[in-house]
């Protein structure tokens, strides 16, 4: 009985709850009732298997079992007390709530349909990205080759399997046994019932949830229509932009962390922790191939089709700034409006532990994190550019090769070209515009070159020159990437933002491009750092209307995205073309080797540098052999050369004037005075000149004389140039003249002939000198009077009218000499008159000057013949000389003069020989070595001096072999990395 009373109380509580909640749409779950009430008012006890009652609740508008609407029933008043046969509404409500599984499944179906519809709407609003597949790495498009997506799809569970994953509501019902504490926790029961009601409000019935998404008059559709399509698109774009920026920041953070980790790894490798030698990176190997090609073919003809990233643009369009942003350092010289890039600069970007730069031909590293090193690098680049530019030119096609390494740099090879100009200004060469066009075309006509076309966004697009040039080189835009710089200024100054979109999309230009990018390279301040520029660029695009209004896509902005895209495109082009280039060089090598074997079968393949080294060794051997010349040979050559130089002065200015005197005292006095004057002024200088000329002649003889079969005429031009340059640099010691003057003066002061042998040698020397002068005089006289009768008869020669006059004058003067053999050297005026009148009497008109000229040669011949006769008489005069010609009519002072001259020549030759062998030959050898070293560093000089088909063929063969070897090594490393 106590149990019945207790159950009655529980039922009354439930009825009261139903009355208070009659305004709630839904049904009370039976599971919320106490177990006792369920056991009394239902036919089965809870200890038995529970059976769900099959009835409909009056609170449902639609049932999940039938589509027919149910009528709303009005609740009859409930009386308190025990009613054993009446239907208990809370019990029926609780039993109905056992169908909670149907509520959840229906809500899932309706929610899935709504989600699918929303997903389709979003999918239609997403732009078509098929045109930008080239930005995504190839591995993404080839993922189906490595992963079986169909197999994965089949492995996923179907809808029936997913339905099995729903909760087991029978277990939930059993857990409701906690209601046994209902009488002690009544407040808790009320709260749980209220929570269940709220749940029904949120979920609704299964049928209602399933069809509410498609019902035209539903409340959610009405709210959806209130929101316009434009606002929805703006909202989605805003969310997409924020999502992209969020992931961009995450990507930057990860890249920074990766950069630091790679830096640590590379630093460990540099310190030798792993005790292994690091291999060259792919980009360094590829750069070496391009450097060799640059030396092999500076004109970049069709043989060189290896990819490069060629940076072209109008002057001051921002080419250099874009390149600096990619290299992450301010490495190029800059100026306000003037041309700074005067020659192509090849920049090889590679990854390394430290941010440094170095030139191809230098070992100095510039630390790009230090401002002083950056300034020194910019200054060095400017000096190299000005050195490459020849006199009278403004730009140069010669390439400056620079390597930049640093953490996180994209690996690629870029070539910065001089900016294209429209007008030649003052200070420029007249052909500057044409030269820049030819340089740009030479690089862009390479079919594998990637053209990075830079356009200034702050100026009118119609003023651009480079776009027409690029469209000519790449009309289909298959290898062109268009970059719009200074977008911040463009957005500020351009009235219509859509014009920027037209520029980016290439609608304002005739050119087509593989991709279009917009970048910001700073605020125009040259002192800005790369980090500050990058922050400013990201901040600008984050707030830019161009990005918010979808005029620009997120992947089309910032130099970071540009660098990634260019690097991917570069390596894709490299992989596609490098093997074809290697095959072409193999064929070229085979052709060159065949040509060499056919033309030079017995000669080694020596290139220009090897030939220069061989010629250098030969020249040095010849200079050494110059020091092995005997002293006797040096003295003979010097003495003979010196006498040939001074003999005219000795005969004409010293001997002849002294011989005109009447006695020996006057003769000796005249000779001493003239010798002293000659020694003080002219003789030492003449002697040094003779010595220097003799050294040159001997050096030239050793350099030019053939060496028999070993002689190679390919070195002749080089040897001649070395000889001339060495002689030009050589300067004789200035102190030699002073010491030589004293020696010569002392030698000429000596008059004592010690023995007969010296006397005879002096007479022999005098006879040779006089005979040589006599022969020269007779030749001059013959040219004056014409051929004699024998030559006229035998060789059919005749005399001219002038020669006839000279001949008549000569005959008249010879008659005068026969009458007076001791006639002085000069004619008196009355003698000239007499000769003229005698000639006039024979019908010969002569001029007094003609008579004097003829007399000079006639008297000179007469004097020399007389001197030779006197010389013969003095052969026996050594005895009288020892007695100072006492008691003798023979005077041989002229023999003593010639002995003094001969002795001075011998002493001078000995002195000069000592100076030559001890000093000058060594100095000349030093000069030759310096000249050879200078020539070795001057490539243009070697090309000019070592020429010919043989040299060029050997040069081409060596370069092609080197290129092929480097290409093979690069291809092997490329395959290993792949």
């Amino acid at each position: 009985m106590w149990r019945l009373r207790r159950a009655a109380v529980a039922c009354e509580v439930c009825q009261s709850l139903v009355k208070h909640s009659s305004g709630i749409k839904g049904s009370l779950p039976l599971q919320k009732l106490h177990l006792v009430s369920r056991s009394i008012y239902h036919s089965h006890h809870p200890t038995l298997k529970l059976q769900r009652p099959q009835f409909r609740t009056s609170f449902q508008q639609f049932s999940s079992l039938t589509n027919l609407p149910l009528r709303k029933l009005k609740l009859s008043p409930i009386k308190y007390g025990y009613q054993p046969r009446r239907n208990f509404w809370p019990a029926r409500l609780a039993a109905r709530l056992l169908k909670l599984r149907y509520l959840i499944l229906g809500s899932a179906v309706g929610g899935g349909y709504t989600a699918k519809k929303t997903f389709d709407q979003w999918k239609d609003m997403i732009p078509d990205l098929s045109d930008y597949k080239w930005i995504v790495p190839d591995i993404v498009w080839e993922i189906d080759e490595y992963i079986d997506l169909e197999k994965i799809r089949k492995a996923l569970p179907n809808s029936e399997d997913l339905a099995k994953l729903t909760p087991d509501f029978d277990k939930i019902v059993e857990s409701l046994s906690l209601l046994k504490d209902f009488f002690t926790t009544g407040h808790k029961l009320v709260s749980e019932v209220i929570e269940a009601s709220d749940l029904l409000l949120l979920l609704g019935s299964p049928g209602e949830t399933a069809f509410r998404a498609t019902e035209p008059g539903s409340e959610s559709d009405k709210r959806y229509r209130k929101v316009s399509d434009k606002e929805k698109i703006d909202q989605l774009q805003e969310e997409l932009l924020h999502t992209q920026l969020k992931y961009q920041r995450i990507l930057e953070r990860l890249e920074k962390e990766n950069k630091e980790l790679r830096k640590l790894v590379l630093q460990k490798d540099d310190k030798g922790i792993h005790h292994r030698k690091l291999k060259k990176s792919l980009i360094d190997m590829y750069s070496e191939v391009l450097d060799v090609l640059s030396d092999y073919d500076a004109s970049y003809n069709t043989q060189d089709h290896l990819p490069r990233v060629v940076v072209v643009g109008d002057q001051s369009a921002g080419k250099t700034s874009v390149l600096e942003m990619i290299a992450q350092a301010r490495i190029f010289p800059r100026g306000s409006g003037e041309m700074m890039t005067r020659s192509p600069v090849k920049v090889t970007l590679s990854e390394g532990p430290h941010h440094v730069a170095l030139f191809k031909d230098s070992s100095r590293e510039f630390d790009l994190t230090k401002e002083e090193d950056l300034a020194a690098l910019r200054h060095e680049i400017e000096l190299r550019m000005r050195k490459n530019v020849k006199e009278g030119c403004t730009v140069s096609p010669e390439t400056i090769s620079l390597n930049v390494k640093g953490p996180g740099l994209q690996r690629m090879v870029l070539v910065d070209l001089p900016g294209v100009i429209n007008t030649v200004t003052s200070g420029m060469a007249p052909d500057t515009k044409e030269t820049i066009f030819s340089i740009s075309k030479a690089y862009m006509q390479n079919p594998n070159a990637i053209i990075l076309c830079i356009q200034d966004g702050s100026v009118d697009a119609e003023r651009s020159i480079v776009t027409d040039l690029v469209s000519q080189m790449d009309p289909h835009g298959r290898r062109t990437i268009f970059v719009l710089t200074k977008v911040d200024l463009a957005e500020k100054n351009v009235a219509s933002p859509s014009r920027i979109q037209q520029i980016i999309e290439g609608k304002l230009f005739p050119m087509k491009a593989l991709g279009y990018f917009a970048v910001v390279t700073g605020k125009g301040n040259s002192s800005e750092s790369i980090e500050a520029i990058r922050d400013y660029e990201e901040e600008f695009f984050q707030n830019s209307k161009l990005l918010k209004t979808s005029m620009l896509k997120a992947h089309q902005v910032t130099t970071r995205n540009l660098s990634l895209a260019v690097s991917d495109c570069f390596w894709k082009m490299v992989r596609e073309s490098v093997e074809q280039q290697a095959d072409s060089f193999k064929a070229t090598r085979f052709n060159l080797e065949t040509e060499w074997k056919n033309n030079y079968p017995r000669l080694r393949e020596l290139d220009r540098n090897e030939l220069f080294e061989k010629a250098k060794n030969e020249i040095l051997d010849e200079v050494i052999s110059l020091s092995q010349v005997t002293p006797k040979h040096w003295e003979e050559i010097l003495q003979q050369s010196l006498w040939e130089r001074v003999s005219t002065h000795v005969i004409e200015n010293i001997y002849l004037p002294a011989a005109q005197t009447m006695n020996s005292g006057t003769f000796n006095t005249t000779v001493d005075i003239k010798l002293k004057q000659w020694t003080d002024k002219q003789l030492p200088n003449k002697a040094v000149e003779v010595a220097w000329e003799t050294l040159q002649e001997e050096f030239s003889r050793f350099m030019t004389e053939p060496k028999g079969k070993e002689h190679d005429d390919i070195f002749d031009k080089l040897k001649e140039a070395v000889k001339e340059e060495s002689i030009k640099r050589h300067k004789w010691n200035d102190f030699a003249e002073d010491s030589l003057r004293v020696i010569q003066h002392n030698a000429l002061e000596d008059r004592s002939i010690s023995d007969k042998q010296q006397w005879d040698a002096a007479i022999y020397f005098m006879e040779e000198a006089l005979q040589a002068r006599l022969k020269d005089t007779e030749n001059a006289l013959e040219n004056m009077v014409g051929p004699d009768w024998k030559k006229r008869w035998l060789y059919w020669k005749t005399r001219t009218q002038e020669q006839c006059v000279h001949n008549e004058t000569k005959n008249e003067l010879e008659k005068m000499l026969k009458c007076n053999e001791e006639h002085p050297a000069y004619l008196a005026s009355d003698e000239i008159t007499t000769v003229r009148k005698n000639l006039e009497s024979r019908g010969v008109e002569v001029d007094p000057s003609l008579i004097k000229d003829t007399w000079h040669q006639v008297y000179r011949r007469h004097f020399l013949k007389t001197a030779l006769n006197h010389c013969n008489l003095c052969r026996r005069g050594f005895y009288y000389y020892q007695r100072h010609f006492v008691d003798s009519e023979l005077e041989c002072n002229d023999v003593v003069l010639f002995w003094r001259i001969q002795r001075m020549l011998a002493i001078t030759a000995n002195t000069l020989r000592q100076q030559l062998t001890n000093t000058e030959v060594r100095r000349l050898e030093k000069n030759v070595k310096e000249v050879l070293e200078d020539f070795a560093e001057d490539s243009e000089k070697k090309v000019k001096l070592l020429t010919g088909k043989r040299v060029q063929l050997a040069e081409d063969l060596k370069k092609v072999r080197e290129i092929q070897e480097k290409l093979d090594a690069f291809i092997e490393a490329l395959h290993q990395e792949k």
Side-chain angles (χ1 to χ4, degrees), residues 645-681:
R645 181 66 61 87
V646 302
S647 59
T648 302
H649 181 84
V650 171
I651 299 297
E652 301 294 335
N653 298 334
I654 298 177
Y655 175 61
L656 288 179
Q660 304 300 321
T661 59
M662 301 304 296
N663 54 60
S664 61
T666 307
F667 179 86
N668 292 331
T669 302
T670 304
V671 166
D672 290 343
I673 293 173
K674 291 187 175 293
L675 287 177
K676 181 68 169 58
Q677 295 175 351
W678 183 45
T679 305
D680 293 340
K681 296 180 180 180

Side-chain angles (χ1 to χ4, degrees), residues 55 129 217 271 405 473 480 537 549 574 606 677 716 734 821 913 940 964 978:
F55 61 88
L129 302 178
K271 294 177 181 178
K405 298 181 179 181
M473 296 293 103
T480 301
E537 182 184 38
T549 57
V574 167
L606 299 179
Q677 295 175 351
D716 291 345
D734 297 334
E821 293 183 356
R913 189 267 306 167
E940 294 182 358
Q964 183 191 348
K978 185 176 180 181

Side-chain angles (χ1 to χ4, degrees), residues 612-613 616 619-620 718 722 725-726 729 925-939 941-942:
F612 181 83
E613 291 299 323
K616 177 181 178 181
I619 293 172
L620 293 177
L718 177 61
V722 172
E725 184 65 23
S726 301
R729 296 186 183 185
E925 181 179 355
K926 181 180 178 181
N927 291 336
V928 170
K929 291 180 179 179
E930 292 177 355
V931 170
L932 289 173
E933 291 176 357
D934 294 342
F935 283 8
E937 297 176 358
D938 193 346
S939 300
K941 185 74 71 175
K942 288 191 287 187

Side-chain angles (χ1 to χ4, degrees), residues 845-860:
E845 295 291 336
V846 295
D847 189 78
S849 60
L850 187 144
I851 296 174
K852 292 180 181 179
D853 292 340
T854 308
W855 167 256
H856 177 72
Q857 299 298 334
V858 171
Y859 180 80
R860 184 182 182 86

Side-chain angles (χ1 to χ4, degrees), residues 456-458 486-494 522-523 536 540:
D456 189 351
S458 63
K486 307 177 184 178
V487 184
D488 52 342
L489 299 179
E491 186 181 26
K492 184 186 301 182
N493 300 330
V494 177
K523 301 179 181 179
Y536 171 71
F540 167 77

